[in-house]
Amino acid sequence: MTISTKIEKYKLRVINFCTILVTFLSAQIFDGVILFTPMGELGEESFTTYLLDQNSNVLNSWPHERGPASMPYMLPDSSFIYPYRVENPTMTSGGVGGGIRRIKWDGTIIWDYKIADDTYQHHHDVEPLPCGNILVIAWERKTAAEAYEKGRVEINNVLNEMWSCAILELNPFTGNIDWEWHLWDHLIQDVDSTLENFGIISDHPELFDINLGNVGNSGGDGPNADWIHLNSVDYNPELDQFVLSSRNHDEIFVFDHSTTVEEAAGHSGGNSGKGGDILYRWGKPQNYGRGEDSYHILGTQHGVNWVPVGYPGEGNIIIFNNRHQGGNTATVIEISPPIETDNNYFISEGDPFGPDTWAWIYDDDLVARIQGGVFRLPNGNTLITEADSSHIFEVDPSGNTVWDYRYSEGVPIPIARAQKYGYDYFEQNYEISLTIENDEKWNIVGLPVGIENNDVNDLFPNALSGTCYEYDESYSLAYSLVPGNGYWLRFSEEGSNSLEGVPIDSLSVFLSEGWNLISGPAYTCEIDDPNGIVILGTLYGYSGQYFNASELQAGMGYWVRANGDGYIVLKARDD
């Protein structure tokens, strides 16, 4: 059954959903389904994610025992990513989360990870990546002593802490953090000239002033040390960049994701050549000592996203601005960032980043104290969520409302953000079957599909038990397979095995200096080596004997040699 067939099947189910009010105002609506999770039910400690069609029919719903940290994200196979609030977070403030799950259409939990320890606490948003990994927003706990050593002048909270921010890239296949970025590596101060991060703040818009703003407060959830308060993250696959929104500092920031972990901690490297420094920032240039008050446009904003390629306004950034230009009303604004041909961003010496105004605005009596979101749709319409009033609606490019929906009447139940997906998003049948042939005796194999059971004996039942080996400077027995890794496996005779699962289109694979055993995605691919670590001519396959290879075949493993540590990308060829 294809994914689109699943949805059409469930469109026949009309569930009496008495708390909703939906209005059609025009035939210009983008045809699709809407996914959202209210922050709680009236009078109950229960939480549910809903998938609706435009006639208010509930196509599917998923109950949760823990409430949402932000919004859910649907995947093309009809599963979805759900960030949620753990029972005992290690740091608590608005938007606290700590848990991330992937849930199937039938409600089965595929995986469940928690990021809530003494150092890191997930909060608010996550972002699924094309390779299957997840970008996670996290607080990073720092002591007052650590902050003072970096040049912070004052810590004004009873915890005597400073929660900085980090972006962690979770690999759900392994549970590892494959990549990370830390604001703590990109700070500047103009107070103590004896410290290495001393400088003139207005000369360094690529760095963040450690003395900017207060650190924490004594809010409704108790005292906290929240400094930056990131609330949303979005990824641009064409640029390999990510954008963050800081509520506390009225700014959005763009960073390079193509870096290694080491480069992300520094000021050079990656496609931009600037490491993990800020590539672009917008909303309040006074934060880096530039611009007049009129340039302070953002206020406690949420929901920052790029407009995808192929959509009207492609490449622009669209933002839900909760307090527009310091006022008490919200707007949706779209800006055209000054991107250059090398994917860096233009800025004149002494001036703030442009633009000085928006390319498009929607400002029709929006009010949102908490959260809120906006997404551009493929036909040029825009989906807007007013979180406080649980109001989701769609406007055309002229600002006319073409679809309007309220989850609850009377006392609203907040909805952080909603997203709309076209039916063609689900058209592909993501369940495939690959036949992997094997030689007698030793073979190098890999796992090119996402699958719930990755036990080697179940994947390759005709292999000899206890003969699966992985390599990391030395050999060790392996009992389960991880996509991207290669494995030696022995068979008593020639044969074949069928692997069924979700095809993996691309992989980000970490190489250590020296020899590595790797495998590719579900389709023929070549190595993309952005950091130049692969030694030319060292990709070898094995079929009774070694052979030099120029590409990777699905299900086969390969040796490759690197001249240093770093990541390569294995992505299916366009043909």
Side-chain angles (χ1 to χ4, degrees):
M1 179 184 293
T2 64
I3 302 306
S4 58
T5 304
K6 286 182 181 179
I7 289 189
E8 291 300 325
K9 174 183 175 183
Y10 276 85
K11 287 176 74 173
L12 299 176
R13 297 170 53 207
V14 181
I15 298 177
N16 180 20
F17 196 46
C18 63
T19 58
I20 59 180
L21 172 66
V22 61
T23 307
F24 290 98
L25 301 174
S26 169
Q28 299 170 321
I29 303 165
F30 173 69
D31 194 21
V33 295
I34 303 95
L35 185 75
F36 65 92
T37 308
M39 293 184 181
E41 302 294 343
L42 286 173
E44 300 180 17
E45 285 295 324
S46 62
F47 311 93
T48 304
T49 294
Y50 296 99
L51 184 71
L52 306 183
D53 68 10
Q54 291 163 175
N55 293 309
S56 78
N57 298 326
V58 179
L59 305 180
N60 205 356
S61 62
W62 300 267
H64 312 287
E65 73 275 14
R66 305 299 305 169
S70 183
M71 66 173 290
Y73 290 89
M74 200 141 214
L75 302 179
D77 68 347
S78 79
S79 67
F80 67 98
I81 305 298
Y82 178 65
Y84 66 92
R85 299 192 296 268
V86 296
E87 187 171 2
N88 296 302
T90 58
M91 297 169 239
T92 300
S93 186
V96 66
I100 307 161
R101 286 177 176 169
R102 183 177 176 184
I103 302 173
K104 292 178 66 174
W105 181 266
D106 64 6
T108 303
I109 296 173
I110 300 174
W111 48 255
D112 186 353
Y113 291 102
K114 292 180 175 61
I115 298 178
D117 57 31
D118 287 341
T119 303
Y120 301 110
Q121 169 68 53
H122 157 255
H123 63 98
H124 285 90
D125 205 10
V126 299
E127 171 73 354
L129 298 180
C131 66
N133 288 358
I134 310 291
L135 292 183
V136 179
I137 292 176
W139 286 305
E140 182 174 10
R141 190 195 310 270
K142 299 293 182 181
T143 65
E146 289 174 304
Y148 296 144
E149 289 173 359
K150 277 280 190 178
R152 178 76 189 188
V153 172
E154 182 182 16
I155 300 292
N156 47 3
N157 64 74
V158 298
L159 300 177
N160 210 27
E161 294 177 348
M162 187 173 192
W163 300 348
S164 186
C165 58
I167 300 296
L168 308 177
E169 183 174 331
L170 171 67
N171 183 333
F173 297 109
T174 65
N176 296 330
I177 301 300
D178 280 357
W179 183 89
E180 55 196 273
W181 170 90
H182 305 263
L183 179 63
W184 207 250
D185 297 322
H186 306 280
L187 301 175
I188 189 172
Q189 51 84 30
D190 59 0
V191 176
D192 189 342
S193 61
T194 66
L195 300 179
E196 63 178 11
N197 65 347
F198 177 80
I200 299 173
I201 290 168
S202 61
D203 288 346
H204 294 280
E206 77 279 8
L207 301 175
F208 196 83
D209 180 5
I210 192 173
N211 285 303
L212 197 64
N214 294 325
V215 177
N217 56 56
S218 299
D221 293 326
N224 65 74
D226 187 5
W227 175 35
I228 303 297
H229 197 89
L230 298 179
N231 52 37
S232 59
V233 54
D234 188 48
Y235 175 73
N236 187 317
E238 283 71 34
L239 302 177
D240 202 2
Q241 297 175 1
F242 62 96
V243 61
L244 303 173
S245 166
S246 167
R247 179 192 187 280
N248 284 2
H249 298 290
D250 300 346
E251 269 197 292
I252 61 168
F253 308 92
V254 173
F255 299 92
D256 192 345
H257 177 261
S258 72
T259 57
T260 65
V261 173
E262 292 76 17
E263 290 169 340
H267 311 288
S268 62
N271 295 339
S272 66
K274 297 181 179 179
D277 283 347
I278 299 168
L279 302 183
Y280 175 68
R281 57 197 300 182
W282 193 84
K284 186 181 179 182
Q286 292 84 355
N287 288 345
Y288 53 100
R290 298 189 185 185
E292 300 176 356
D293 288 345
S294 61
Y295 284 83
H296 183 184
I297 295 173
L298 295 184
T300 67
Q301 76 291 335
H302 292 72
V304 60
N305 300 282
W306 270 285
V307 177
V309 170
Y311 293 26
E314 65 176 56
N316 287 348
I317 293 175
I318 193 164
I319 309 159
F320 190 94
N321 191 16
N322 294 64
R323 298 187 63 186
H324 185 71
Q325 292 184 311
N328 292 317
T329 57
T331 62
V332 170
I333 55 176
E334 178 182 345
I335 63 170
S336 298
I339 193 165
E340 300 181 301
T341 55
D342 63 354
N343 293 337
N344 277 296
Y345 296 81
F346 175 78
I347 184 171
S348 296
E349 185 175 353
D351 290 332
F353 280 105
D356 57 6
T357 190
W358 44 85
W360 181 81
I361 187 169
Y362 179 86
D363 57 357
D364 189 6
D365 296 327
L366 290 176
V367 177
R369 296 177 299 104
I370 59 168
Q371 300 214 33
V374 56
F375 290 92
R376 177 60 42 83
L377 301 175
N379 69 343
N381 288 356
T382 302
L383 188 76
I384 301 171
T385 306
E386 280 186 287
D388 303 46
S389 55
S390 62
H391 184 202
I392 307 167
F393 62 103
E394 185 178 333
V395 299
D396 68 16
S398 298
N400 301 308
T401 301
V402 299
W403 182 82
D404 191 82
Y405 167 89
R406 292 183 185 273
Y407 171 71
S408 61
E409 297 183 78
V411 179
I413 301 169
I415 297 171
R417 286 184 286 163
Q419 172 63 301
K420 192 172 193 179
Y421 302 88
Y423 288 106
D424 59 353
Y425 183 72
F426 305 96
E427 280 184 350
Q428 300 181 66
N429 185 348
Y430 264 56
E431 291 287 325
I432 68 169
S433 178
L434 289 175
T435 299
I436 310 299
E437 296 182 352
N438 64 267
D439 296 328
E440 183 183 0
K441 297 185 178 179
W442 289 103
N443 294 254
I444 310 178
V445 301
L447 181 59
V449 295
I451 193 168
E452 291 182 47
N453 181 7
N454 61 349
D455 184 279
V456 64
N457 295 323
D458 293 323
L459 295 173
F460 296 96
N462 58 340
L464 295 174
S465 180
T467 66
C468 185
Y469 289 89
E470 58 188 346
Y471 182 83
D472 184 7
E473 297 185 350
S474 62
Y475 287 110
S476 59
L477 274 173
Y479 302 97
S480 58
L481 303 192
V482 174
N485 291 350
Y487 301 86
W488 282 108
L489 187 60
R490 186 163 183 165
F491 297 81
S492 60
E493 59 184 9
E494 291 185 8
S496 63
N497 293 269
S498 293
L499 300 181
E500 297 183 359
V502 179
I504 297 172
D505 293 327
S506 65
L507 290 163
S508 179
V509 178
F510 180 79
L511 300 184
S512 300
E513 183 177 359
W515 288 101
N516 299 260
L517 264 180
I518 66 171
S519 64
Y523 310 99
T524 300
C525 72
E526 297 175 347
I527 294 177
D528 180 8
D529 182 21
N531 302 302
I533 62 173
V534 174
I535 298 175
L536 187 65
T538 65
L539 181 65
Y540 289 95
Y542 183 82
S543 181
Q545 61 183 11
Y546 287 109
F547 62 89
N548 198 245
S550 60
E551 58 188 17
L552 287 76
Q553 301 292 329
M556 294 182 62
Y558 298 82
W559 284 106
V560 67
R561 190 173 184 180
N563 59 24
D565 295 349
Y567 282 89
I568 59 173
V569 177
L570 305 177
K571 186 176 182 180
R573 295 190 320 208
D574 293 335
D575 57 356

